[in-house]
């Protein structure tokens, strides 16, 4: 049975060590920097637990993201579940629980990848998947290394290991039940001290999360910052200060190849892309809808150059949707079908390139449609309520058919999505949230596609020479 939102929030009150602006946060569910976003995550749990969307979101008592897909139809059903949660935050919550759930299902589809000569983590990977699914847990991950003092083993014990160091960009980690610590970037063959992956509870002694600036905490109101006030999933630096990890929570250990293979030789990474591509499609739908509303509010919606710009945005939405549907349609068996199926890898990798390049262009196009209106709005919605200012604001900010309050509400939403610090973070996020391009663009999984391209070009070259006349 899935957890309710209330049960999820209760789970966050576990004494975890979260730091923000020099303050240790005692309870993320009540602190002004985190409480609204925590409530947004809780709302997702309620959608799965008991709502009209439950049949779409839940299969066999667990979220569909945990189920190992066995067919094309299963991939489609999983995507429909992704879409429900993505629409609940308009695509701005990237690391919802279904993200890492899909990764755990990828591990469970190919557990043999975790069995090596130096460590057998296969049963641990299966137990990780089972624990998350049965407990309806929210897992985050930290897989990016800082420049120095990276997480590594400092002590082996009979009952586990002790680790020390840091990982960066723990997106959503302060709202998670567990954190999977690993490495997605290539390691040197001799770098065995850092070649490990494990999962720990967020309240594990010695584990600290140092939060970046909270956009939610800076938001004046939902009216003024409607997205950042409710959907700031946060990013945090994870610090392990001699953290003890029991052996049963270790997935890979002192093995460079296995620590990389858990992402690339299981369906985990492709499952991540399936979820995030569905969210990206949803986010572009939202932004394009925003562009249409802005054009109508400005009275420019029938101008040829505006209709053309909106048409390009609608084309981008269709492109984003097409990548999701194509990845599903080009599904591939895992381990000869014994591990079910996965989305097509070539289309999935291509989506990562497309999304990172398309998002900044879409944002720029919508900014051009909005013009200067989004930077000239009253400081806050309180101006509308002021006895002296209110009449002036209502008089000078209205447009034909659009009262001032409605127009300002729209413009503030647009600025929060397009020009605020929150918006800037999202533009960077869409470029890098699944690793730097040099990581996924150079993976050997491109070899098959490269061979086909080279073969076709070579066939043309082989078809003529200096004596060929036709």
């Amino acid at each position: 049975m899935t957890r309710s939102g209330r049960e999820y929030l209760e789970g966050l009150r576990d004494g975890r060590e979260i730091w923000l602006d020099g303050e240790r946060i005692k309870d993320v569910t009540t602190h002004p920097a985190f409480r609204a976003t925590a409530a947004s995550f809780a709302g997702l749990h309620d959608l799965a637990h008991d709502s009209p969307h439950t049949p779409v979101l839940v299969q066999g008592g667990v979220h569909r993201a945990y189920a190992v897909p066995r067919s094309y139809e299963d991939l489609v059903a999983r995507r429909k579940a992704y879409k429900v949660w993505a629409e609940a935050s308009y695509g701005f919550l990237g690391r919802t629980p279904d993200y890492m759930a899909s990764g755990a299902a990828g591990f469970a589809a190919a557990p043999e990848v975790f069995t090596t000569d130096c460590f057998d983590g296969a049963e641990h990977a299966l137990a990780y998947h089972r624990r998350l699914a049965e407990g309806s847990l929210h897992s985050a991950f930290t897989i990016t290394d800082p420049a120095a003092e990276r997480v590594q083993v400092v002590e082996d014990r009979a009952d586990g290991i002790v680790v020390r160091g840091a990982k960066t960009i723990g997106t959503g980690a302060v709202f998670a039940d567990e954190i999977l610590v690993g490495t997605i970037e290539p390691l040197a063959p001799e770098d065995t001290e850092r070649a490990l992956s494990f999962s720990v509870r967020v309240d594990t002694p010695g584990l600290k999360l140092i939060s970046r600036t909270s956009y939610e905490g800076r938001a004046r109101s939902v009216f003024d910052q409607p997205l950042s006030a409710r959907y700031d999933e946060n990013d945090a630096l994870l610090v392990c200060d001699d953290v003890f990890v029991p052996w049963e929570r270790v997935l890979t250990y002192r093995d460079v190849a296995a620590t990389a293979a858990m992402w690339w030789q299981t369906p985990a990474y492709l499952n991540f892309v399936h979820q995030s591509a569905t969210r990206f499609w949803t986010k572009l739908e939202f932004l394009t809808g925003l562009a249409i509303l802005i054009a109508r509010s400005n009275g420019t919606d029938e101008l040829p150059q505006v209709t053309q710009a909106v048409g390009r945005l609608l084309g981008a939405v269709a492109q984003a949707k097409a990548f999701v549907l194509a990845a599903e349609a080009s599904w591939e068996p895992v381990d000869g079908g014994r591990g079910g199926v996965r989305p097509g890898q070539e289309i999935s990798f291509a989506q990562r390139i497309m999304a990172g390049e398309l998002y900044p262009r879409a944002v720029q196009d919508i900014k051009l449609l909005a013009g200067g209106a989004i930077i000239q709005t009253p400081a806050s919605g309180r101006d509308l309520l002021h006895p002296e200012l209110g009449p002036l604001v209502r008089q000078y900010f209205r447009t034909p058919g659009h009262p001032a309050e409605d127009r300002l509400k729209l413009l503030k939403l647009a600025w929060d999505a397009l020009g605020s610090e929150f918006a800037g973070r999202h533009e960077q996020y869409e470029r890098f949230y699944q690793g730097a391009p040099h990581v996924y663009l150079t993976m050997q999984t491109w070899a098959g596609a490269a061979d086909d391209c080279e073969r076709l070009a070579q066939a043309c070259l082989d078809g003529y020479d200096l004596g060929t006349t036709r």
Side-chain angles (χ1 to χ4, degrees):
M1 185 66 177
T2 60
R3 284 193 297 179
S4 67
R6 180 186 59 79
E7 291 170 324
Y8 160 73
L9 292 175
E10 284 293 332
L12 298 182
R13 302 185 183 105
D14 55 8
R16 60 188 57 201
E17 190 171 348
I18 311 295
W19 291 86
L20 172 68
D21 290 339
E23 173 193 0
R24 180 170 178 177
I25 308 303
K26 294 181 179 179
D27 186 347
V28 296
T29 71
T30 60
H31 193 279
F34 304 105
R35 62 191 179 196
T37 303
S40 294
F41 279 114
L44 300 181
H45 284 278
D46 282 334
L47 284 176
H49 182 70
D50 185 16
S51 84
H53 296 289
T54 299
V56 175
L57 290 166
V58 176
Q59 174 186 354
V62 303
H63 193 286
R64 285 187 185 274
Y66 286 114
V68 175
R70 299 289 173 181
S71 64
Y72 164 74
E73 290 75 17
D74 286 348
L75 290 174
V76 171
R78 173 184 275 188
R79 179 247 301 161
K80 290 179 178 178
Y82 291 153
K83 195 73 165 63
V84 169
W85 269 9
E87 289 186 357
S89 67
Y90 314 100
F92 283 89
L93 286 179
R95 294 289 169 81
T96 46
D98 54 347
Y99 186 86
M100 197 58 227
S102 68
F107 300 157
E112 66 279 0
V113 172
F114 295 86
T115 300
T116 68
D117 292 338
C118 58
F119 185 76
D120 189 353
E123 287 300 321
H124 301 176
L126 292 171
Y128 171 71
H129 170 251
R130 186 166 54 250
R131 181 173 67 251
L132 296 186
E134 294 176 354
S136 190
L137 299 180
H138 179 177
S139 177
F141 68 12
T142 53
I143 57 175
T144 303
D145 286 325
E149 301 298 329
R150 303 164 183 178
V151 170
Q152 61 183 340
V153 181
V154 294
E155 182 184 355
D156 292 327
R157 290 170 32 177
D159 53 349
I161 58 176
V162 177
V163 297
R164 184 185 303 159
K167 289 283 182 177
T168 189
I169 317 180
T171 303
V174 299
F175 303 106
D177 298 295
E178 294 194 13
I179 301 176
L180 180 68
V181 181
T183 297
I184 200 169
E185 298 170 349
L187 295 173
E190 67 275 8
D191 204 359
T192 56
E193 295 297 321
R194 295 194 294 117
L196 75 159
S197 58
F198 56 89
S199 183
V200 290
R201 287 176 52 90
V202 182
D203 64 345
T204 299
L207 189 149
K208 299 175 177 65
L209 290 173
I210 303 174
S211 170
R212 61 150 165 81
T213 296
S214 169
Y215 308 133
E216 176 186 331
R218 291 184 172 184
R220 304 187 69 171
S221 70
V222 174
F223 183 89
D224 294 304
Q225 288 96 14
L227 299 174
S228 53
R230 297 179 291 171
Y231 309 119
D232 180 18
E233 62 189 350
N234 206 276
D235 309 283
L237 175 73
L238 176 141
V239 177
C240 293
D241 186 7
D242 288 353
V243 168
F244 171 69
V245 183
W247 283 119
E248 60 268 21
R249 284 181 168 267
V250 178
L251 304 183
T252 66
Y253 180 67
R254 297 185 186 274
D255 192 302
V256 170
T259 300
M262 62 183 284
W263 309 111
W264 309 108
Q265 293 181 25
T266 75
Y269 187 85
L270 298 178
N271 287 353
F272 288 155
V273 176
H274 193 204
Q275 186 269 359
S276 60
T278 304
R279 180 198 54 79
F280 181 78
W281 160 27
T282 304
K283 198 173 186 180
L284 280 187
E285 286 181 321
F286 166 80
L287 291 175
T288 300
L290 195 59
I292 293 170
L293 294 175
I294 290 170
R296 287 178 180 167
S297 178
N298 289 342
T300 60
D301 53 304
E302 294 185 4
L303 294 178
Q305 57 268 43
V306 173
T307 59
Q308 290 173 16
V310 171
R312 286 193 295 271
L313 289 168
L314 289 169
V317 172
Q319 185 179 356
K321 177 181 179 180
F323 271 93
V324 176
L325 302 187
E328 295 166 358
S330 60
W331 61 270
E332 301 160 344
V334 178
D335 191 20
R338 288 181 290 274
V341 301
R342 67 183 189 183
Q345 67 178 7
E346 291 178 8
I347 299 297
S348 297
F349 274 57
Q351 191 277 340
R352 288 301 310 121
I353 300 171
M354 177 276 298
E357 296 175 351
L358 181 58
Y359 190 82
R361 291 203 302 270
V363 168
Q364 180 65 18
D365 287 346
I366 301 170
K367 284 182 177 179
L368 291 174
L369 286 175
I374 57 175
I375 61 173
Q376 181 59 73
T377 60
S380 82
R382 288 198 296 267
D383 287 348
L384 283 162
L385 304 176
H386 192 276
E388 183 177 350
L389 289 179
L392 296 176
V393 171
R394 294 180 190 280
Q395 179 180 355
Y396 292 111
F397 280 93
R398 72 177 188 267
T399 57
H402 300 275
E405 183 172 337
D406 292 348
R407 179 165 167 75
L408 292 177
K409 184 179 178 182
L410 172 63
L411 294 177
K412 283 182 173 290
L413 173 61
W415 180 252
D416 209 18
L418 304 171
S420 65
E421 188 175 357
F422 172 84
R425 180 264 180 193
H426 271 269
E427 184 169 327
Q428 197 73 354
Y429 178 82
E430 296 298 347
R431 295 173 184 264
F432 292 103
Y433 67 86
Q434 282 181 325
H438 74 267
V439 175
Y440 57 79
L441 288 180
T442 56
M443 291 306 298
Q444 62 180 1
T445 48
W446 281 108
D451 290 346
D452 289 342
C453 296
E454 183 179 351
R455 175 188 54 77
L456 191 59
Q458 190 63 51
C460 179
L461 287 171
D462 293 343
Y464 65 91
D465 56 27
L466 284 172
T468 301
T469 59
R470 297 185 63 179

